[in-house]
Amino acid sequence: MAIPKYQYIKDELKSKIISGQFENGDKFYTEAELITMYDVSSITVVRALNELAKDGYIIRQQGKGTFVSRARKHKLVEFSDVEIFPTQNDQVTVLSIERGNDLKFLDKLDLKGHQFYYKIERLRKAKDIPYIYHQSYIPEQYINANYPNLEYYSSIYNRFKQDYHIHMNDEHFEETNEIIFPTPEAVATLLDIDTNFPTVFQVKTTQLESTGQILEYSEAYKRGDFFKIKFVSRSGNH
């Protein structure tokens, strides 16, 4: 089946942008230039340009013209929290496991008022230096109430895998990172730092991909000197 003319024009213009013929922010072809270049109607050109704009490759500004976009929707950005120190010898201590139904965290887990969750507090160390304080909130249905000891939940992801065949790293999640200064006193004490020492406050929600059910809501404080991030952009066509 023949490719519609507007689609052909869109694809060719998209290739020109991706190949680097235009820098971000450069002025793009006018409608009149494209009509002449491709010998087509203005309707065809406008549709091609609107498609490019919808996909984030160009920005059309009334009275100013068309410009190459600085942020493209079809560019994938991979984010990774780089571990500065080797983690294979990390020590994780489970500080407490408590059943609760505080409305604040029921809401975070999308649970109803009569339901319960378990809050698991953990402290992670590298070379005997405490560097992350975790607070995880997990729906009651995913907690074995007959856990033999606190260390049973030293790895929550492993428990999901072993007990429920859920691979948390493969599920949908959203995470935010915020620099906290000063660090809350109770957290600073656990991390063995002064309150004036900055920490990174990480909030993460993980959902079961197939149903959207929230599996875990977590809050963590990480020492600033143990935090480093890396961004890598890749084409959305890969």
Side-chain angles (χ1 to χ4, degrees), residues 45-62:
V45 165
V46 168
R47 184 168 182 184
L49 290 173
N50 285 342
E51 289 286 321
L52 282 172
K54 185 175 76 173
D55 287 351
Y57 287 93
I58 59 174
I59 296 174
R60 309 195 71 196
Q61 298 181 347
Q62 187 72 30

Side-chain angles (χ1 to χ4, degrees), residues 95-151:
L95 303 176
S96 67
I97 300 178
E98 298 178 357
R99 185 171 182 257
N101 71 335
D102 186 309
L103 288 176
K104 174 184 175 181
F105 297 108
L106 288 175
D107 185 58
K108 299 288 187 185
L109 294 166
D110 198 22
L111 296 176
K112 301 185 184 304
H114 65 276
Q115 294 179 294
F116 286 81
Y117 58 79
Y118 274 80
K119 174 186 176 182
I120 302 175
E121 291 183 285
R122 293 172 298 154
L123 189 65
R124 183 179 293 271
K125 296 181 180 181
K127 297 181 179 179
D128 292 323
I129 300 173
Y131 74 100
I132 304 182
Y133 168 56
H134 294 273
Q135 300 172 88
S136 294
Y137 299 83
I138 300 169
E140 185 176 36
Q141 72 183 94
Y142 291 109
I143 294 292
N144 177 2
N146 297 314
Y147 56 88
N149 51 55
L150 292 180
E151 298 314 305

Side-chain angles (χ1 to χ4, degrees), residues 4-6 8-9 12-13 30-46 48:
K5 194 68 176 176
Y6 84 89
Y8 170 80
I9 295 171
E12 190 164 281
L13 293 176
T30 65
E31 289 181 21
E33 288 173 331
L34 292 172
I35 289 170
T36 301
M37 284 172 59
Y38 291 102
D39 191 22
V40 293
S41 68
S42 62
I43 294 176
T44 300
V45 165
V46 168

Side-chain angles (χ1 to χ4, degrees), residues 10-233:
K10 174 196 170 184
D11 290 344
E12 190 164 281
L13 293 176
K14 176 179 166 182
S15 294
K16 288 176 182 289
I17 294 171
I18 292 175
S19 68
Q21 290 188 38
F22 293 88
E23 295 291 332
N24 290 336
D26 279 357
K27 193 160 187 177
F28 201 52
Y29 298 114
T30 65
E31 289 181 21
E33 288 173 331
L34 292 172
I35 289 170
T36 301
M37 284 172 59
Y38 291 102
D39 191 22
V40 293
S41 68
S42 62
I43 294 176
T44 300
V45 165
V46 168
R47 184 168 182 184
L49 290 173
N50 285 342
E51 289 286 321
L52 282 172
K54 185 175 76 173
D55 287 351
Y57 287 93
I58 59 174
I59 296 174
R60 309 195 71 196
Q61 298 181 347
Q62 187 72 30
K64 293 185 178 180
T66 301
F67 301 86
V68 175
S69 176
R70 294 184 181 278
R72 297 171 197 152
K73 293 179 183 176
H74 289 272
K75 217 43 170 167
L76 300 180
V77 177
E78 295 180 358
F79 160 87
S80 60
D81 182 353
V82 180
E83 297 297 346
I84 297 175
F85 299 95
T87 60
Q88 61 266 31
N89 295 319
D90 272 11
Q91 305 119 21
V92 179
T93 302
V94 180
L95 303 176
S96 67
I97 300 178
E98 298 178 357
R99 185 171 182 257
N101 71 335
D102 186 309
L103 288 176
K104 174 184 175 181
F105 297 108
L106 288 175
D107 185 58
K108 299 288 187 185
L109 294 166
D110 198 22
L111 296 176
K112 301 185 184 304
H114 65 276
Q115 294 179 294
F116 286 81
Y117 58 79
Y118 274 80
K119 174 186 176 182
I120 302 175
E121 291 183 285
R122 293 172 298 154
L123 189 65
R124 183 179 293 271
K125 296 181 180 181
K127 297 181 179 179
D128 292 323
I129 300 173
Y131 74 100
I132 304 182
Y133 168 56
H134 294 273
Q135 300 172 88
S136 294
Y137 299 83
I138 300 169
E140 185 176 36
Q141 72 183 94
Y142 291 109
I143 294 292
N144 177 2
N146 297 314
Y147 56 88
N149 51 55
L150 292 180
E151 298 314 305
Y152 187 76
Y153 279 101
S154 60
S155 171
I156 290 174
Y157 278 24
N158 190 52
R159 289 273 55 91
F160 269 101
K161 179 181 177 182
Q162 297 294 326
D163 298 344
Y164 303 101
H165 307 291
I166 294 173
H167 296 262
M168 293 286 275
N169 286 319
D170 295 335
E171 302 300 334
H172 174 76
F173 74 88
E174 292 184 12
E175 178 182 312
T176 61
N177 292 272
E178 177 186 359
I179 305 297
I180 298 293
F181 181 83
T183 295
E185 188 172 346
V187 173
T189 298
L190 286 167
L191 295 178
D192 196 22
I193 57 175
D194 188 271
T195 54
N196 291 323
F197 198 96
T199 49
V200 179
F201 182 51
Q202 299 177 317
V203 176
K204 185 175 182 179
T205 303
T206 304
Q207 294 176 274
L208 193 61
E209 192 96 26
S210 58
T211 65
Q213 180 189 17
I214 297 175
L215 300 171
E216 179 191 24
Y217 168 76
S218 68
E219 296 179 352
Y221 289 87
K222 188 171 187 176
R223 283 178 53 138
D225 55 341
F226 276 71
F227 184 76
K228 183 179 180 181
I229 61 174
K230 179 174 72 174
F231 293 92
V232 179
S233 66

